[in-house]
PDB file of all heavy atoms in Angstrom:
ATOM      1  N   VAL A1095       4.277   7.125   3.994  1.00 97.00           N
ATOM      2  CA  VAL A1095       4.210   6.657   2.612  1.00 97.00           C
ATOM      3  C   VAL A1095       2.780   6.349   2.184  1.00 97.00           C
ATOM      4  O   VAL A1095       2.406   6.589   1.036  1.00 97.00           O
ATOM      5  CB  VAL A1095       5.130   5.448   2.340  1.00 97.00           C
ATOM      6  CG1 VAL A1095       6.585   5.815   2.557  1.00 97.00           C
ATOM      7  CG2 VAL A1095       4.765   4.244   3.159  1.00 97.00           C
ATOM      8  N   PHE A1096       1.966   5.832   3.086  1.00 97.00           N
ATOM      9  CA  PHE A1096       0.602   5.438   2.747  1.00 97.00           C
ATOM     10  C   PHE A1096      -0.272   6.645   2.416  1.00 97.00           C
ATOM     11  O   PHE A1096      -1.004   6.647   1.425  1.00 97.00           O
ATOM     12  CB  PHE A1096       0.001   4.627   3.907  1.00 97.00           C
ATOM     13  CG  PHE A1096      -1.382   4.127   3.650  1.00 97.00           C
ATOM     14  CD1 PHE A1096      -1.617   3.175   2.674  1.00 97.00           C
ATOM     15  CD2 PHE A1096      -2.451   4.597   4.386  1.00 97.00           C
ATOM     16  CE1 PHE A1096      -2.906   2.702   2.432  1.00 97.00           C
ATOM     17  CE2 PHE A1096      -3.733   4.126   4.158  1.00 97.00           C
ATOM     18  CZ  PHE A1096      -3.961   3.180   3.172  1.00 97.00           C
ATOM     19  N   ILE A1097      -0.194   7.671   3.237  1.00 97.00           N
ATOM     20  CA  ILE A1097      -0.985   8.883   3.003  1.00 97.00           C
ATOM     21  C   ILE A1097      -0.204   9.876   2.141  1.00 97.00           C
ATOM     22  O   ILE A1097      -0.777  10.577   1.322  1.00 97.00           O
ATOM     23  CB  ILE A1097      -1.412   9.512   4.351  1.00 97.00           C
ATOM     24  CG1 ILE A1097      -2.351   8.546   5.080  1.00 97.00           C
ATOM     25  CG2 ILE A1097      -2.079  10.864   4.142  1.00 97.00           C
ATOM     26  CD1 ILE A1097      -2.626   8.906   6.521  1.00 97.00           C
ATOM     27  N   GLY A1098       1.101   9.881   2.311  1.00 98.00           N
ATOM     28  CA  GLY A1098       1.936  10.820   1.574  1.00 98.00           C
ATOM     29  C   GLY A1098       1.976  10.586   0.077  1.00 98.00           C
ATOM     30  O   GLY A1098       2.062  11.536  -0.701  1.00 98.00           O
ATOM     31  N   SER A1099       1.891   9.307  -0.339  1.00 98.00           N
ATOM     32  CA  SER A1099       1.976   9.012  -1.780  1.00 98.00           C
ATOM     33  C   SER A1099       0.876   9.687  -2.587  1.00 98.00           C
ATOM     34  O   SER A1099       1.174  10.453  -3.518  1.00 98.00           O
ATOM     35  CB  SER A1099       1.954   7.497  -2.018  1.00 98.00           C
ATOM     36  OG  SER A1099       3.095   6.899  -1.495  1.00 98.00           O
ATOM     37  N   PRO A1100      -0.389   9.436  -2.277  1.00 98.00           N
ATOM     38  CA  PRO A1100      -1.418  10.095  -3.096  1.00 98.00           C
ATOM     39  C   PRO A1100      -1.456  11.611  -2.890  1.00 98.00           C
ATOM     40  O   PRO A1100      -1.713  12.355  -3.840  1.00 98.00           O
ATOM     41  CB  PRO A1100      -2.727   9.435  -2.655  1.00 98.00           C
ATOM     42  CG  PRO A1100      -2.455   8.866  -1.308  1.00 98.00           C
ATOM     43  CD  PRO A1100      -0.994   8.522  -1.297  1.00 98.00           C
ATOM     44  N   LEU A1101      -1.178  12.059  -1.675  1.00 98.00           N
ATOM     45  CA  LEU A1101      -1.195  13.511  -1.441  1.00 98.00           C
ATOM     46  C   LEU A1101      -0.077  14.218  -2.200  1.00 98.00           C
ATOM     47  O   LEU A1101      -0.300  15.276  -2.799  1.00 98.00           O
ATOM     48  CB  LEU A1101      -1.097  13.815   0.056  1.00 98.00           C
ATOM     49  CG  LEU A1101      -2.344  13.523   0.874  1.00 98.00           C
ATOM     50  CD1 LEU A1101      -2.105  13.849   2.349  1.00 98.00           C
ATOM     51  CD2 LEU A1101      -3.542  14.297   0.343  1.00 98.00           C
ATOM     52  N   ALA A1102       1.121  13.639  -2.177  1.00 98.00           N
ATOM     53  CA  ALA A1102       2.243  14.248  -2.898  1.00 98.00           C
ATOM     54  C   ALA A1102       1.975  14.262  -4.397  1.00 98.00           C
ATOM     55  O   ALA A1102       2.293  15.249  -5.084  1.00 98.00           O
ATOM     56  CB  ALA A1102       3.538  13.501  -2.585  1.00 98.00           C
ATOM     57  N   ALA A1103       1.361  13.190  -4.905  1.00 98.00           N
ATOM     58  CA  ALA A1103       1.025  13.159  -6.336  1.00 98.00           C
ATOM     59  C   ALA A1103      -0.025  14.224  -6.661  1.00 98.00           C
ATOM     60  O   ALA A1103       0.063  14.893  -7.703  1.00 98.00           O
ATOM     61  CB  ALA A1103       0.536  11.768  -6.727  1.00 98.00           C
ATOM     62  N   LEU A1104      -0.999  14.367  -5.790  1.00 98.00           N
ATOM     63  CA  LEU A1104      -2.042  15.376  -5.997  1.00 98.00           C
ATOM     64  C   LEU A1104      -1.445  16.781  -6.009  1.00 98.00           C
ATOM     65  O   LEU A1104      -1.726  17.582  -6.914  1.00 98.00           O
ATOM     66  CB  LEU A1104      -3.109  15.252  -4.910  1.00 98.00           C
ATOM     67  CG  LEU A1104      -4.337  16.139  -5.043  1.00 98.00           C
ATOM     68  CD1 LEU A1104      -5.130  15.788  -6.298  1.00 98.00           C
ATOM     69  CD2 LEU A1104      -5.215  15.996  -3.808  1.00 98.00           C
ATOM     70  N   VAL A1105      -0.614  17.097  -5.026  1.00 98.00           N
ATOM     71  CA  VAL A1105       0.023  18.416  -4.970  1.00 98.00           C
ATOM     72  C   VAL A1105       0.922  18.619  -6.182  1.00 98.00           C
ATOM     73  O   VAL A1105       0.933  19.698  -6.784  1.00 98.00           O
ATOM     74  CB  VAL A1105       0.804  18.594  -3.649  1.00 98.00           C
ATOM     75  CG1 VAL A1105       1.619  19.884  -3.665  1.00 98.00           C
ATOM     76  CG2 VAL A1105      -0.159  18.589  -2.458  1.00 98.00           C
ATOM     77  N   SER A1106       1.658  17.575  -6.567  1.00 98.00           N
ATOM     78  CA  SER A1106       2.499  17.673  -7.771  1.00 98.00           C
ATOM     79  C   SER A1106       1.656  17.991  -8.995  1.00 98.00           C
ATOM     80  O   SER A1106       2.058  18.782  -9.847  1.00 98.00           O
ATOM     81  CB  SER A1106       3.273  16.366  -7.992  1.00 98.00           C
ATOM     82  OG  SER A1106       4.212  16.150  -6.963  1.00 98.00           O
ATOM     83  N   GLY A1107       0.474  17.365  -9.067  1.00 98.00           N
ATOM     84  CA  GLY A1107      -0.418  17.646 -10.185  1.00 98.00           C
ATOM     85  C   GLY A1107      -0.869  19.096 -10.227  1.00 98.00           C
ATOM     86  O   GLY A1107      -0.942  19.700 -11.301  1.00 98.00           O
ATOM     87  N   PHE A1108      -1.150  19.656  -9.053  1.00 98.00           N
ATOM     88  CA  PHE A1108      -1.575  21.058  -9.010  1.00 98.00           C
ATOM     89  C   PHE A1108      -0.440  22.013  -9.364  1.00 98.00           C
ATOM     90  O   PHE A1108      -0.682  23.093  -9.908  1.00 98.00           O
ATOM     91  CB  PHE A1108      -2.138  21.418  -7.631  1.00 98.00           C
ATOM     92  CG  PHE A1108      -3.539  20.937  -7.415  1.00 98.00           C
ATOM     93  CD1 PHE A1108      -3.835  20.064  -6.375  1.00 98.00           C
ATOM     94  CD2 PHE A1108      -4.578  21.346  -8.243  1.00 98.00           C
ATOM     95  CE1 PHE A1108      -5.129  19.613  -6.164  1.00 98.00           C
ATOM     96  CE2 PHE A1108      -5.879  20.901  -8.049  1.00 98.00           C
ATOM     97  CZ  PHE A1108      -6.156  20.024  -6.998  1.00 98.00           C
TER      98      PHE A1108
END
Side-chain angles (χ1 to χ4, degrees):
V1095 297
F1096 182 67
I1097 295 168
S1099 294
L1101 287 179
L1104 185 64
V1105 172
S1106 294
F1108 282 121

